[in-house]
């Protein structure tokens, strides 16, 4: 997919979202609740992704993690 086509697709999705938000005050309660649930799901996924990435990146301080150190197996002494 070319970047120009991708930008048009993102713009179309944004316009649909804006139109949905503009129609929301006149919508029936079921539509408002369903829109809120979908929006809450999207926000939750984004927040959890940010938390996961920040936890992963913050633990990388250049030193190896001692829990993941490989141990050498030696033959048993007789």
């Amino acid at each position: 997919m070319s970047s120009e086509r991708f930008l048009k697709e993102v713009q179309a999705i944004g316009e649909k979202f804006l139109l949905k938000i503009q129609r929301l005050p006149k919508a029936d309660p079921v539509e408002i609740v369903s829109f809120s649930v979908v929006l809450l799901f999207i926000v939750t996924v984004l927040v959890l992704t940010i938390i996961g990435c920040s936890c992963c990146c913050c633990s990388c301080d250049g030193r190896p993690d001692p829990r993941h150190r490989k141990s050498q197996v030696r033959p048993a002494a007789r």
Side-chain angles (χ1 to χ4, degrees), residues 10-69:
V10 170
Q11 184 179 6
I13 292 172
E15 288 173 359
K16 288 179 186 178
F17 183 72
L18 186 61
L19 185 63
K20 189 71 157 175
I21 289 177
Q22 289 173 349
R23 291 183 183 171
L24 204 56
K26 297 178 247 175
D28 56 336
V30 174
E31 192 173 354
I32 293 173
V33 169
S34 63
F35 182 76
S36 300
V37 167
V38 169
L39 195 62
L40 181 65
F41 174 75
I42 292 170
V43 169
T44 303
V45 168
L46 289 174
V47 167
L48 290 175
T49 302
I50 291 170
I51 289 172
C53 289
S54 66
C55 288
C56 177
C57 292
C58 289
S59 66
C60 299
D61 55 356
R63 292 180 292 169
D65 192 357
R67 292 177 291 169
H68 299 293
R69 183 176 38 202

